[in-house]
Amino acid sequence: MRLYDIDVQSRLLLGTAQYPSPQVLTKAIAASGCDIITVSLRREAARGATAGNGFWSLLQASGARLLPNTAGCHSAREAITTAQMAREVFGTNWIKLEVIGHADTLQPDPFALVEAAQILCADGFQVFPYTTEDLIVAERLLDAGCKVLMPWGAPIGSGQGLRHAEALASMRRYFPQVPLIIDAGLGAPSQAARAMEMGFDAVLLNTAVAKAGDPVAMARAFGQAVEAGRIAYEAGLMPPRNMAVPSTPVLGMADLNLGGRA
Amino acid sequence: MRIELNGSQCEISAATLAEALVELGYGAAALATALNGAFIAATARPTTPLHDGDRVEVLTPMQGG
């Protein structure tokens, strides 16, 4: 899979928030087999600014490529400033662009998203926009210079899976050449596998692993589900049928009716 | 002078953003700065003067999804 100018092996992108401990996070990253992890920026208290730097050391030790986000931003202006700050701290042009439009659903604000994407792409950022399955918004984001799109599966942290699967399938068919990453809303490995079977290039998730009973085991489960789903997509799934079709050949079957021919 | 640091009122004597970070004890931490909502690059901090009432944001790496 190629994301901007980078070849990526794993099709699972993992968030780093909400884990029980930094040790569990480190193990989960390794168990998932992911190459890319998402990170953020937050206020740091003066005097003894060490919390963020402990995390920074963990990130560097993980060896994963970093995808900083603009989580929590509700305007294009906030998101742009956050992206600029993230570029300096994390040393990457990659930015997962989130501009939240609704506090309850955490739904992207498509207007502010496109506006921020235009400005950031022009400023040399490689933007990964967190968007909906809306095709027109997707077109505008591509026009702005985005080379990857990240439609939501369901609201962030909801674990509902692919809530609008048909619309997502349309999006996949409409943009066959654009890397599409399902971002947010996945709660179970089976949902990730389904997204991959539908031909999505990758999935990004966080809560489903971080909040699992055993996050490390769940990270491994998602890693395998994503791989299985991708192999299935490449293998070519059979089309569904309305009626049963025998899988065992009927030709050459014995006549075992009692009392002669039926 | 009185500035707002990460949402809290704060009294400093530093004249520039770079000096303020030292005065406030941020040391060598990996961090990014913004002044009144606009990004200030690390290289620009020594030449960025602070004024009474300025809003300074100091952010560091944090877990994210």
Side-chain angles (χ1 to χ4, degrees):
Chain A
M1 171 175 65
R2 198 166 177 82
L3 301 175
Y4 286 93
D5 48 354
I6 300 293
D7 282 318
V8 179
Q9 282 298 312
S10 173
R11 293 173 179 272
L12 172 60
L13 290 73
L14 196 61
T16 56
Q18 308 180 76
Y19 289 80
S21 71
Q23 290 74 25
V24 171
L25 167 60
T26 300
K27 285 182 184 167
I29 293 170
S32 74
C34 73
D35 298 322
I36 299 169
I37 54 177
T38 56
V39 293
S40 193
L41 285 176
R42 281 297 179 272
R43 285 171 166 175
E44 180 69 281
R47 307 248 174 258
T50 54
N53 282 276
F55 180 58
W56 184 225
S57 307
L58 183 157
L59 294 179
Q60 289 172 318
S62 77
R65 178 171 288 275
L66 303 182
L67 176 57
N69 70 25
T70 63
C73 293
H74 285 75
S75 71
R77 169 82 193 269
E78 277 181 296
I80 290 162
T81 301
T82 303
Q84 291 167 330
M85 296 173 88
R87 175 160 66 178
E88 184 177 78
V89 168
F90 295 112
T92 175
N93 285 326
W94 280 17
I95 190 74
K96 175 184 163 181
L97 181 61
E98 286 182 49
V99 189
I100 300 303
H102 193 275
D104 289 336
T105 62
L106 299 181
Q107 180 169 343
D109 176 336
F111 308 100
L113 182 69
V114 170
E115 181 191 346
Q118 287 167 338
I119 292 166
L120 290 172
C121 288
D123 190 21
F125 282 90
Q126 294 178 319
V127 178
F128 294 63
Y130 166 61
T131 184
T132 67
E133 61 280 323
D134 189 293
L135 300 181
I136 311 304
V137 175
E139 294 267 24
R140 296 286 188 276
L141 290 167
L142 295 173
D143 290 345
C146 298
K147 305 248 186 286
V148 177
L149 298 175
M150 302 213 296
W152 63 349
I156 295 171
S158 70
Q160 295 177 5
L162 305 179
R163 216 159 63 150
H164 304 127
E166 284 307 315
L168 287 167
S170 298
M171 189 179 197
R172 177 67 286 179
R173 285 193 294 272
Y174 197 71
F175 301 107
Q177 305 302 330
V178 179
L180 298 179
I181 301 172
I182 296 291
D183 176 15
L186 298 180
S190 54
Q191 297 164 352
R194 185 186 182 198
M196 297 306 296
E197 287 168 2
M198 289 167 66
F200 285 95
D201 294 275
V203 300
L204 196 169
L205 53 101
N206 188 154
T207 311
V209 168
K211 291 298 186 189
D214 181 343
V216 178
M218 190 60 80
R220 194 164 139 254
F222 267 102
Q224 293 186 2
V226 167
E227 197 177 339
R230 180 63 190 185
I231 294 171
Y233 170 72
E234 289 173 351
L237 291 141
M238 65 163 281
R241 296 154 167 164
N242 288 327
M243 298 295 285
V245 179
S247 49
T248 303
V250 290
L251 191 69
M253 279 195 67
D255 179 358
L256 302 175
N257 285 304
L258 293 174
R261 291 186 175 278
Chain B
M1 91 183 92
R2 204 161 181 76
I3 62 165
E4 193 180 305
L5 174 70
N6 288 346
S8 299
Q9 293 295 318
C10 180
E11 189 72 36
I12 58 165
S13 56
T16 66
L17 183 54
E19 289 169 21
L21 292 179
V22 174
E23 183 182 340
L24 292 164
Y26 279 104
L31 52 81
T33 52
L35 177 61
N36 298 324
F39 168 62
I40 304 292
T43 50
R45 287 177 203 149
T47 53
T48 301
L50 292 180
H51 303 97
D52 213 44
D54 275 346
R55 284 185 300 116
V56 175
E57 292 285 341
V58 181
L59 307 186
T60 60
M62 192 59 68
Q63 294 84 348

